[in-house]
Amino acid sequence: MAQKGEFDIIREFFQRPVADAGVHLGIGDDAALLAVPAGHELVVSTDTLVAGRHFPEATAPFDIGWKALAVNLSDLAAMGARARWVTLALTLPDSDEDFLREFSRGLFALAEREQVSLVGGDTTRGPLALTVTALGDVPLGAALKRSGARVGDDLYVSGTVGDAGLGLRLELGQWLDEIAPAAAEFALQRLRRPEPRLGLGFALRGVATACLDVSDGLAQDLGHLLAASRTGAVLELDWLPRSAALAGIEPAFADVLALTSGDDYELLFTAPPSARERLAALPVTRIGRMTEVPGLQLWRGGNPVEMPVAGFTHF
Ligand SMILES: [Mg+2]
């Protein structure tokens, strides 16, 4: 089979009609021309995924496409932004058409659902790697940052945490005997097809005082929020929202997964207690509060407990 050139690849797999008045010029010129509405800021986030490092070599191409976009949209969600545009730099070992077809299907499945337009990109030859840059907009001054948490604020997380971590263990062939098939399927889905919480990020504008997405593990990402906001936090372990899949494993391991495993792409945020009623309508769980005492304290039933993380860092 003849190797496809760069332009053929782009035309066949990545050029789609764009229905966005803000795209003055999309794929096909030297650069895209994009219009941000008056009174808004451009929000930009980029992430690189390398095969064998950020996803197993054997990952289904559809899932690679989906996830490469999802992790970037998750960053826009964490800023409270509206996701609008995306560029893709794709490094491929060869122009494998089956891969490209499935990869672009996965990418566009999410992009079209979220009404995000692919407006540019690049393809090069080399070991499989993808860089996605997501662009969005947010009204001036309305973006959610990591730095706004105040002492006395409540701490929340969306959805459930630890599922993708369980999925990764299953993918590595661990714990297969202990997990029911439906739970395993759920955990693998959470790992492979993360859901960017764009609608939630939107809803948190004007409510959350600080926000980020959980990509590296709740404890670690919370550390970034604490550092940026110069506060500490008390986190009640028993309040951590866990899926039924996580309920099926030993509680000590479930704690570790919920606190340290990455890839859940939930939103972690703070809000004043006066916002509790408003937040009750959203898929979020209050898990603690912000303190003057620096650092992260884990509590169980109102009492401090040892960090279960330390002994498990390379587990
Ligand atoms: Mg992030």
Side-chain angles (χ1 to χ4, degrees), residues 75 146 213 215:
D75 279 326
R146 299 176 173 190
D213 66 325
S215 51

Side-chain angles (χ1 to χ4, degrees), residues 66-238:
W66 176 285
K67 192 163 179 174
L69 180 58
V71 301
N72 277 278
L73 296 185
S74 177
D75 279 326
L76 295 191
M79 302 298 290
R82 174 171 63 148
R84 300 196 60 183
W85 311 300
V86 62
T87 66
L88 166 71
L90 187 56
T91 304
L92 290 167
D94 51 59
S95 53
D96 175 343
E97 287 195 38
D98 292 334
F99 176 90
L100 284 164
R101 189 169 299 109
E102 280 304 294
F103 171 84
S104 65
R105 243 173 35 83
L107 184 95
F108 281 112
L110 181 59
E112 281 165 8
R113 196 190 74 186
E114 299 296 342
Q115 294 179 286
V116 172
S117 309
L118 183 68
V119 295
D122 187 29
T123 60
T124 48
R125 193 65 56 90
L128 182 61
L130 318 101
T131 298
V132 171
T133 301
L135 304 106
D137 62 32
V138 67
L140 264 174
L144 307 173
K145 302 178 202 159
R146 299 176 173 190
S147 55
R150 292 176 294 242
V151 173
D153 279 353
D154 292 324
L155 176 66
Y156 293 84
V157 71
S158 65
T160 56
V161 283
D163 303 322
L166 175 59
L168 182 62
R169 263 70 183 185
L170 293 167
E171 200 161 72
L172 295 172
Q174 301 166 7
W175 301 357
L176 290 172
D177 301 337
E178 288 136 80
I179 307 294
E185 186 49 44
F186 168 82
L188 286 167
Q189 183 79 1
R190 290 275 283 152
L191 174 70
R192 295 169 180 168
R193 306 258 182 100
E195 285 288 339
R197 304 301 185 193
L198 286 160
L200 178 62
F202 229 72
L204 292 178
R205 281 184 196 168
V207 183
T209 48
C211 184
L212 49 60
D213 66 325
V214 181
S215 51
D216 297 330
L218 194 147
Q220 190 174 331
D221 288 314
L222 176 56
H224 300 315
L225 191 151
L226 300 185
S229 293
R230 298 170 187 275
T231 59
V234 162
L235 190 158
E236 275 283 354
L237 279 175
D238 291 339

